[in-house]
Amino acid sequence: MHFENLSTDWQDFFKPEFEKPYFFKLNEHINNAYQKTTVYPPKHLIFNAFNLCSINHIKVILIGQDPYHNYGQAQGLSFSVNEGIKLPPSLRNIFKELKNDIPNFNIPMSGNLEYWAQQGVLLLNSILTVQHNLPGSHKNFGWQPFTDSVIQGLSQQKSNLVFLLWGNFAISKSKLIDQSKHLVLTSAHPSPLARGAFFGSQHFSKTNNYLITNGIHPINWHL
């Protein structure tokens, strides 16, 4: 994997995990998968969420499950897709909620969320890779201990972060977070399978209200 692309702060943060036995096995699984099958995102974008959002600038952590599994979609950011890709249903619902929650928000044509990442939103999938057309196919590779260590480590090292946990899978990560010094917002998943239960959560305005209250510049959610 492309560890050398990671900034110094993330390399220092990850160093203990990189040296654990499970991570050597994970790296072996990933290298074999990319050699033998079609895997998303492209290998150089596995750590894209970290490369676009430095530790010092993190304000919000939005946890997804695993990458989109069709050609051209995944770019290493949870819920985000590349330019020119049709909006997936969950992302379409996220934009609908934004329109109802944030004044003057216009639903964009593009589902590329890099602008959020550049402002301090860590768009973190719990599982960072997936085989073509097989959702959840890499769930046993060892990614979850790695990303759990990210969530827990950031919770310990930083204060006044906002964690957005949508759906039962993401909500299960709340046990890793010190809720005495961070804001944890939970809701149903934005997937249409949740039958609209995600709507009305107002997580975007609640996030900004919390950041402002704690003297932190809010996120510009407009794309």
Side-chain angles (χ1 to χ4, degrees):
M1 288 185 279
H2 292 252
F3 309 126
E4 68 278 2
N5 292 341
L6 284 166
S7 60
T8 303
D9 57 349
W10 279 117
Q11 290 204 31
D12 291 343
F13 182 88
F14 289 141
K15 189 175 180 182
E17 296 303 309
F18 287 165
E19 295 173 351
K20 291 179 179 178
Y22 87 85
F23 197 85
F24 289 103
K25 293 181 181 178
L26 168 61
N27 195 30
E28 185 177 351
H29 282 311
I30 293 302
N31 288 331
N32 286 337
Y34 274 92
Q35 288 174 8
K36 297 177 180 178
T37 62
T38 300
V39 178
Y40 306 124
K43 199 172 186 181
H44 70 281
L45 293 179
I46 291 176
F47 296 118
N48 197 29
F50 306 107
N51 289 330
L52 291 177
C53 185
S54 73
I55 290 177
N56 291 335
H57 294 135
I58 291 177
K59 303 174 184 179
V60 181
I61 301 174
L62 174 52
I63 298 175
Q65 191 159 348
D66 61 349
Y68 296 116
H69 54 86
N70 289 323
Y71 175 78
Q73 291 180 306
Q75 57 175 183
L77 306 174
S78 62
F79 294 101
S80 181
V81 291
N82 285 302
E83 299 284 347
I85 297 296
K86 182 181 177 181
L87 297 181
S90 291
L91 184 54
R92 195 178 308 122
N93 282 346
I94 290 170
F95 287 161
K96 287 179 181 177
E97 174 63 15
L98 272 160
K99 186 172 180 62
N100 290 328
D101 188 27
I102 299 297
N104 302 315
F105 182 88
N106 293 313
I107 295 177
M109 297 292 291
S110 170
N112 187 335
L113 306 181
E114 287 183 357
Y115 181 55
W116 292 357
Q118 292 161 0
Q119 294 179 74
V121 181
L122 182 64
L123 297 162
L124 179 65
N125 277 317
S126 181
I127 303 157
L128 297 186
T129 56
V130 68
Q131 186 175 332
H132 171 71
N133 211 26
L134 288 174
S137 49
H138 291 181
K139 65 181 180 181
N140 295 322
F141 275 21
W143 276 127
Q144 291 191 68
F146 177 73
T147 53
D148 282 358
S149 76
V150 174
I151 297 166
Q152 192 163 34
L154 291 174
S155 171
Q156 292 170 351
Q157 294 183 22
K158 298 182 73 69
S159 298
N160 302 130
L161 297 175
V162 181
F163 290 83
L164 301 180
L165 310 181
W166 299 340
N168 290 334
F169 178 86
I171 292 170
S172 72
K173 306 298 181 180
S174 60
K175 65 182 181 292
L176 304 170
I177 303 163
D178 182 349
Q179 298 189 42
S180 70
K181 62 175 184 173
H182 302 289
L183 176 64
V184 175
L185 296 175
T186 64
S187 76
H189 196 277
S191 166
L193 296 176
R195 299 185 179 183
F198 172 73
F199 296 127
S201 58
Q202 298 182 317
H203 281 186
F204 305 100
S205 59
K206 288 177 180 176
T207 292
N208 279 352
N209 289 339
Y210 177 82
L211 294 175
I212 292 167
T213 298
N214 287 281
I216 302 167
H217 197 274
I219 304 298
N220 178 2
W221 297 109
H222 297 269
L223 293 165

